[in-house]
Amino acid sequence: MLGITITVSTVLSLLGLGIAFFYMKKVMSIPLDLGLDEKDGKRLRFIHGAIAEGAMAFLKQEYKFLAIFMVVFAAIIAVLIDDSHTPTIQEGIYTALAFLFGGAISIASGYIGMRVATQGNARTTVSAKISIANAFDVAINSGAVMGFALVGLAVLGLVLVYVIMSFLLADLGTGNNHILMEVIAGFGLGGSTIALFARVGGGIFTKAADVGADLVGKVEKGIPEDDPRNPAVIADNVGDNVGDVAGMGADLFGSCAESTCAAMVISAVVFAADPNALLFPILISAVGIPISLITKLLVGVKTEDDVAPALMKLLIISSVLMAVVMFFFTRALIPESFELNGATYTNMGVYFCFLAGLAAGLTVGLLTGYYTSDKYAPVREVAKSCETGVATNIIYGLALGYKSTVYPYLAIAASIFISWDLAGMYGVAIASLGMLGTLVIALMIDAYGPVADNAGGIAEMVGLDKEVRRRTDILDSAGNTTAAIGKGFAIGAAILTSLALFAAFITAASTLSGEPITMSLLDPIVYTSVFIGAVLPFLFTAMTMKSVGKAAFDMIEEVRRQFRTIPGIMEGTGQPDYALCVAISTKAALREMIAPGILIMGTPLVTGFLFGVEAVAGVLVGSLVAGGVLAIASSNSGGAWDNAKKYIEAGNLGGKGSETHKAAVVGDTVGDPLKDTSGPSLNILIKLSAILSLVFAPFFVQYGGKLLG
């Protein structure tokens, strides 16, 4: 008897997949040439096809690489992980299977999101000829497919891996449920591993194309953004989908799976004999599916002024509804009181932990919007600084990023303190799931951004009426703000997820070793490891930024070559080689993502083997604290530079073509790898290190610390 939790979660996950299918059919039912004459229709189909084919070609090449890597790493898991307390159970083999399953689900989620986003972009363009309300509906419906499909697959995957592993490990008994949950943690590791390469590879791809297109096209040649004369323009539009749809989807899929696994590892110690409470973490994400559907049905757009408020309403309404509904589920499924590490906690304490995470996530998102939207003083101050040149623009942008870390970190710190006080380490894990409670909506509005952005680019390249481009620009402007909010949300979720995984790692290591794992800053190995962990995010950022620089160099040289050697490009009579630019970005991304991946995955394994569990814990703490700050600062600086440029392009402070605008373009180019590559990729660093440590806890306990004797 699996209980109500697993039944409800299964039903809701299937509901999510059904909703995703419904919205996918709704998007695809719109003709690509709706309202266009034959010439414009032919041009639009060509551009749409080039973007879609480029995006899927990149995914195909990336997934080939990932398939090989996943099989090899699964073999390493199977060999290295063992539980000496249960020699008859091949924990490593089962963990490897869960790892492969998690990776496969993550790949499927990214593929679905990318497929629909690249179909929704051109349909948003043609719908903008009718009205902005129609265009908004297509873009948000495209995002809805990503949101509902990904969360539905994540919940269904967690249910399936639990049911299958429970059957295969039935001989363990409830007393050894911690082993079952450690095996299931392999599912989270699989999802996070895919996220590593999707985020890093996708970020390098999109920024190589974006920087190449901007520096040569806008700065050197003085042509507009998304001008079809620019050879890198298709690669730039492909990159929007690669980085912000597939990359973001894999990132947040990883957060969802990892937070759930972390909570269940801890709950296995507390609720071993109560399947409803044991699987309560899965239910949290599942409940978000119908809540998000209700929210979407409540929010619509009629006029241009409704667009930006509608996106914010989606976040706020869904958060309020989740807070109400989870009160009843928590009271019903979590015991009125329970013990953890000698302390007694209550189900109402668990609910307030959820609420603390939910509120912190909303707060971080709103603060990110404040620091990155051109409607508020910080971005306008950065735009104003462009009047005195590039140097002051860079100074003000960096200052904004550093300052913007304070309040989000205070909000996250408050949620950590409250949840730890109310329900211990389990409370922290529930808080991380609370922050992800509105994951469907977060993914929906994040995927909406690149769809709207592509729609504007397609309108420009096809040469449609200025009114169409004006409407898509309104959608894109709102999408830029929500994309920045989505990145802030993802970073906040990564911080809490990493802390939850850290708590799960300590719990698992303590259970396996038979004695509590203690950490003291007076212990030299712990203190030294914290320092090593703190420097990892900076090394990782340097590697990813340099990778973008290398890839962008290749792109810039190719774009310059095409302008120089292909006759008639500037006159509009010559045809640029778009496919070659896509191929350059693809090759560079796949090449450059390997070294950062080795750094992230190799550090905890080497540290644990040589120095033991305490050293790994120190590395995790150092990278978590430093990485979170650096991620927020990088993402917000980049977002502020981007929107400062758009604020000037809207006709402020001299407008397009002015010296102020040129300074803003350079600042935006500097910020691009920060907001779309290094900043978001730091999410993966802090999460993947922690989930990797949790999965390899048996190896560290049994074989670690050899260097210290």
Side-chain angles (χ1 to χ4, degrees), residues 19-20 23-24 26-27 30 116-117 120-121 123-124 127 132-148 292 295-297 299-301 307-308 310-315 440-452 455 475 478-479 482:
I19 296 168
Y23 281 117
M24 181 179 68
K26 196 169 183 179
V27 170
I30 299 169
V116 175
N121 52 13
R123 290 172 168 84
T124 301
S127 297
I132 195 164
N134 286 60
F136 176 84
D137 286 343
V138 177
I140 202 68
N141 288 344
S142 300
V145 177
M146 177 67 165
F148 285 107
S292 299
T295 304
K296 186 180 184 306
L297 295 176
V299 177
V301 163
V307 175
L311 295 173
M312 296 307 298
K313 284 178 186 176
L314 287 170
L315 277 175
V440 174
I441 294 295
L443 285 163
M444 186 188 304
I445 64 174
D446 194 78
Y448 156 94
V451 172
L475 298 178
T482 54

Side-chain angles (χ1 to χ4, degrees), residues 507-571:
T507 300
S510 298
T511 303
L512 290 166
S513 63
E515 57 185 27
I517 300 296
T518 58
M519 286 179 60
S520 171
L521 288 178
L522 298 178
D523 184 342
I525 190 65
V526 173
Y527 199 77
T528 303
S529 299
V530 169
F531 269 65
I532 294 171
V535 83
L536 281 179
F538 293 90
L539 177 58
F540 178 80
T541 297
M543 293 171 72
T544 52
M545 288 187 71
K546 194 171 181 180
S547 293
V548 169
K550 289 179 181 178
F553 178 82
D554 294 341
M555 183 65 71
I556 289 168
E557 288 298 300
E558 173 57 26
V559 174
R560 284 174 175 165
R561 184 195 68 79
Q562 291 198 32
F563 273 119
R564 189 173 60 248
T565 60
I566 298 178
I569 285 187
M570 286 300 292
E571 293 76 21

Side-chain angles (χ1 to χ4, degrees), residues 170-236:
D171 293 340
L172 284 175
T174 57
N176 284 318
N177 255 343
H178 68 280
I179 298 175
L180 172 63
M181 295 308 169
E182 288 158 21
V183 167
I184 292 174
F187 179 87
L189 177 59
S192 194
T193 302
I194 297 298
L196 165 65
F197 295 109
R199 256 305 189 192
V200 176
I204 293 170
F205 181 106
T206 184
K207 289 306 107 183
D210 200 359
V211 170
D214 282 355
L215 285 183
V216 182
K218 293 170 72 173
V219 176
E220 294 182 9
K221 295 295 182 180
I223 59 178
E225 188 172 3
D226 297 318
D227 193 301
R229 292 173 291 177
N230 194 326
V233 71
I234 295 294
D236 189 9

